[in-house]
Amino acid sequence: MEPAIIDRMPSTLSRSQIALDHIQKLISASEPGDRLPSEAELATRIGVSRVTVREALNRLWHEGAVVRRWGAGTFVADRRDDEDQPIFRSIYVDINTVGSLPEEISKRGRKPTLAAFSATQTTAPSWIKREAGFSGDVWRVSRCIAIDSVPALLLEDFLPLHIAGNAVDPQRLSDLRMDITTFLRQAGVRVVKHEANLDAVLADKETGSALHVPEGSPLLRAKQRAISESGETITCTEARYRSEIIGHVLIRTVGE
């Protein structure tokens, strides 16, 4: 990749924004798969600290503009046009480490239970084929989590039949203590990011029956990808929440 010539930004911008704008211009002048300069090189070229460069790269990574491959570097992502994607996406980054939802529910004095579980081999839905590149059959693992005996969340995990050369045993996810991140780590894959798109949907007959709501009831849906340290999508999850049972809060702060 040829070094890009980048003009200096106006001094009225924050150093963090200057770094972000520089790197975005560099990405725009590059091709998918091109390796970006190191943090140290970017810091020298832009005239900011490595910490500032790292913050900018973190934001671009969360937005999906770059791919990180641990030990190899940071690369320009393949931003494929997708008719399902909005023109503008506002990114919310959870400050908590991804872990066990039932454990978090228990910490808040509530009782989580597994209301239903099934694991079947099926053809991957089109959005999962697109996001994860799965071909052929996958495991579809369906789990309904209840809070204080009330069905609250329907999770459908789509897993490859083999991970790291070993056959996947989906029955292990019937243990409520087993979250997908731990499941994949024990299978030999380290997940470094979960990325989800949220939208509002109406419950179909199957979902309504699982969550004990009438067909056509409004639900919050999340389509999530689990991304490994090599930058690959390992699994996809479609989650449907009863928003009156599980709430999501977006917090923003205003700078001085």
Side-chain angles (χ1 to χ4, degrees), residues 53-63 66 68 93:
V53 168
R54 190 174 300 121
E55 290 175 352
L57 288 173
N58 278 338
R59 175 171 171 178
L60 292 167
W61 181 56
H62 286 304
E63 292 178 354
V66 298
R68 284 176 170 171
V93 180

Side-chain angles (χ1 to χ4, degrees), residues 23-239:
I23 298 172
Q24 285 176 325
K25 285 186 177 181
L26 184 60
I27 291 171
S28 297
S30 305
E31 296 293 330
D34 283 349
R35 186 180 184 279
L36 292 179
S38 67
E39 290 180 2
E41 185 178 347
L42 285 171
T44 299
R45 293 174 60 177
I46 300 170
V48 296
S49 70
R50 288 185 62 175
V51 172
T52 300
V53 168
R54 190 174 300 121
E55 290 175 352
L57 288 173
N58 278 338
R59 175 171 171 178
L60 292 167
W61 181 56
H62 286 304
E63 292 178 354
V66 298
V67 174
R68 284 176 170 171
R69 300 190 181 100
W70 267 249
T74 303
F75 301 81
V76 177
D78 184 1
R79 304 300 294 270
R80 294 167 293 178
D81 291 335
D82 188 340
E83 62 182 9
D84 294 334
Q85 294 295 325
I87 294 173
F88 172 77
R89 288 198 308 160
S90 179
I91 307 298
Y92 164 64
V93 180
D94 190 345
I95 63 173
N96 298 307
T97 300
V98 175
S100 169
L101 177 60
E103 184 177 335
E104 292 300 317
I105 293 170
S106 297
K107 287 179 180 178
R108 286 162 175 76
R110 301 294 182 173
K111 182 180 179 181
T113 53
L114 189 63
F117 175 86
S118 66
T120 57
Q121 288 191 26
T122 185
T123 301
S126 58
W127 77 271
I128 293 174
K129 289 181 180 178
R130 181 177 64 246
E131 294 290 345
F134 290 162
S135 60
D137 286 351
V138 296
W139 282 112
R140 176 190 178 193
V141 181
S142 180
R143 294 176 290 167
C144 183
I145 296 176
I147 300 177
D148 294 342
S149 300
V150 179
L153 167 64
L154 182 62
L155 288 169
E156 289 188 335
D157 296 303
F158 294 89
L159 314 172
L161 301 184
H162 294 82
I163 294 178
N166 299 313
V168 170
D169 178 12
Q171 294 297 325
R172 296 178 59 218
L173 287 167
S174 63
D175 184 343
L176 193 61
R177 296 167 297 180
M178 179 63 71
D179 59 88
I180 195 67
T181 303
T182 302
F183 178 86
L184 292 173
R185 183 173 65 248
Q186 293 180 357
V189 176
R190 177 172 174 257
V191 172
V192 296
K193 182 171 71 165
H194 288 273
E195 180 179 292
N197 290 328
L198 303 176
D199 60 2
V201 297
L202 300 178
D204 56 23
K205 185 176 181 180
E206 181 181 1
T207 303
S209 176
L211 291 176
H212 295 188
V213 297
E215 184 177 357
S217 297
L219 301 171
L220 178 65
R221 178 177 66 178
K223 288 183 175 181
Q224 179 173 284
R225 300 187 299 146
I227 301 171
S228 74
E229 58 186 347
S230 66
E232 296 177 292
T233 296
I234 303 301
T235 65
C236 291
T237 300
E238 187 163 346

